[in-house]
Amino acid sequence: MTFEKILVTGAGGQIGSELVPFLSDVFGRDRVIPSDIRSNSADSRFLKLDVTDRASVDLAIDKYKIDTIFHLAAVLSANGEKNPELAYKVNISGLYDILESSIKSRVKLVITPSSIGIFGPDTPKENVPIETIARPVTMYGITKLMAEHLGNYYHARFGLNARGLRFPGLISYKTPPGGGTTDYSIEMIMEAVKGKSYQCFLREDTRLPMMYMPDALDCLLRLAEADETRLKHRTDFNVSSFSMTPKQLEMELRNYYPSFEVTYRPDFRQKIADSWPGSLDASAAVSEWDFHPNYDFKATTKDMIANLKR
Ligand code: SER
């Protein structure tokens, strides 16, 4: 049985803070246990959990009889370059703890997001397939690539139903992302709505794949529920809804805020962005679990603005 008791790690983060209410609506509030290293007193279900502490992970999985895990606890690309050791510990040791505890406690399904960060400067730039040259140059990318391989390994070796997908830049308004390279998109929209100008840390022509959060949540659920017999891939599905540059976003925002201004001052994150592709081939996700994004570039911007204005 899956989805009887669902543990979400990193529940206070950009994805987690939206996935918890989403899963609670689908499966029922009592079936979802949100956890994070930072506590959240506003939610009585909330569990304070450090994924790098194996004993605590074991205890949590046992105590709540967890059968499904959405393992979201991770350090993102830009923060990972500021603190590579922390990125390694959380993204690798944390995942290892989750996988080992899952085997021990017979957890049925572990979903771990991967990222466009697994690609590197040698990867082709456009319409990148799942199987390609993947030589990441950030600690984040290296850990996420290893996460994909670990998931496949635990499936082949121990029969664990490990699944994952490579998220592009995720755009959302509820919880700010924790130090990613694609965060400029959210910051730019927020500043435009506030009536301010924005200084962008990427070059104006930096084209990256993106997705709006409602589509990301839908992806996680579809992948979790996907019929095993249809899956030819497990941990490395490419997903993306659209691609854009900072300049395109600036121009789109100017349709709403004609006097909005952006200056471009690339910092260390430019090098990270330059190592990632501009677009992905998501056809395997379409054919294996009916990936179907609803928000394109214009719809995402429009919805973000409407919600931020509220
Ligand atoms: N949004 C992530 C980052 O920029 C990419 O997975 O780090």
Side-chain angles (χ1 to χ4, degrees):
M1 254 182 313
T2 26
F3 310 118
E4 286 294 314
K5 270 283 168 157
I6 304 167
L7 177 69
V8 178
T9 71
Q14 186 195 8
I15 305 175
S17 62
E18 301 206 33
L19 185 67
V20 167
F22 177 79
L23 292 176
S24 303
D25 283 349
V26 175
F27 297 107
R29 216 186 118 77
D30 294 346
R31 294 213 187 150
V32 182
I33 309 291
S35 72
D36 200 287
I37 193 156
R38 289 158 297 197
S39 45
N40 174 355
S41 50
D43 187 336
S44 57
R45 298 168 297 177
F46 213 90
L47 185 69
K48 193 168 177 334
L49 180 66
D50 175 357
V51 293
T52 66
D53 173 357
R54 170 88 66 83
S56 301
V57 174
D58 278 347
L59 201 70
I61 291 177
D62 269 356
K63 180 172 171 196
Y64 294 98
K65 300 192 170 35
I66 299 295
D67 58 37
T68 305
I69 301 177
F70 287 83
H71 177 48
L72 308 178
V75 175
L76 288 180
S77 60
N79 276 358
E81 290 315 285
K82 287 186 197 151
N83 192 344
E85 185 181 355
L86 182 69
Y88 186 90
K89 274 196 189 136
V90 175
N91 299 5
I92 294 293
S93 306
L95 172 65
Y96 187 76
D97 289 349
I98 291 287
L99 293 171
E100 281 293 313
S101 296
S102 294
I103 300 291
K104 217 169 85 187
S105 303
R106 299 182 198 288
V107 170
K108 297 287 181 295
L109 173 65
V110 178
I111 303 269
T112 310
S114 180
S115 157
I116 50 168
I118 66 108
F119 300 115
D122 306 324
T123 306
K125 281 287 168 207
E126 298 301 332
N127 205 25
V128 175
I130 292 179
E131 287 89 8
T132 185
I133 301 169
R135 290 192 209 157
V137 290
T138 60
M139 181 56 94
Y140 175 67
I142 292 166
T143 61
K144 284 294 175 186
L145 186 57
M146 186 162 169
E148 292 181 5
H149 289 295
L150 278 175
N152 285 331
Y153 177 79
Y154 272 73
H155 175 253
R157 179 81 199 264
F158 305 111
L160 179 69
N161 192 355
R163 297 181 182 182
L165 75 187
R166 295 169 183 159
F167 274 137
L170 294 182
I171 300 178
S172 67
Y173 58 88
K174 283 187 187 147
T175 306
T181 301
T182 53
D183 298 7
Y184 86 84
S185 51
I186 299 171
E187 292 173 6
M188 194 189 289
I189 301 171
M190 285 183 160
E191 294 311 291
V193 172
K194 281 191 233 158
K196 296 194 176 157
S197 56
Y198 178 60
Q199 182 173 304
C200 184
F201 57 77
L202 294 184
R203 246 186 4 250
E204 62 177 45
D205 61 350
T206 312
R207 193 161 167 274
L208 291 169
M210 297 280 175
M211 180 179 280
Y212 193 33
M213 187 60 81
D215 283 328
L217 302 178
D218 184 63
C219 276
L220 288 168
L221 184 62
R222 281 178 197 251
L223 177 62
E225 293 188 320
D227 181 350
E228 183 68 32
T229 60
R230 285 178 68 191
L231 296 187
K232 297 193 185 79
H233 300 85
R234 300 204 67 78
T235 59
D236 52 11
F237 288 97
N238 285 347
V239 289
S240 163
S241 307
F242 55 90
S243 294
M244 69 174 192
T245 65
K247 190 73 189 176
Q248 285 170 325
L249 182 58
E250 178 195 338
M251 298 316 281
E252 180 65 12
L253 288 166
R254 213 169 282 153
N255 293 330
Y256 298 84
Y257 304 98
S259 58
F260 180 53
E261 275 182 28
V262 180
T263 51
Y264 293 90
R265 196 165 297 171
D267 66 13
F268 72 101
R269 288 168 280 195
Q270 185 64 48
K271 195 171 157 214
I272 301 176
D274 284 342
S275 75
W276 294 350
S279 63
L280 306 179
D281 171 2
S283 55
V286 175
S287 64
E288 296 177 44
W289 45 272
D290 308 315
F291 168 55
H292 177 75
N294 288 309
Y295 290 85
D296 63 10
F297 171 48
K298 282 184 176 291
T300 299
T301 314
K302 189 176 171 197
D303 203 68
M304 279 289 286
I305 291 172
N307 280 293
L308 285 169
K309 268 173 39 186
R310 253 177 235 147

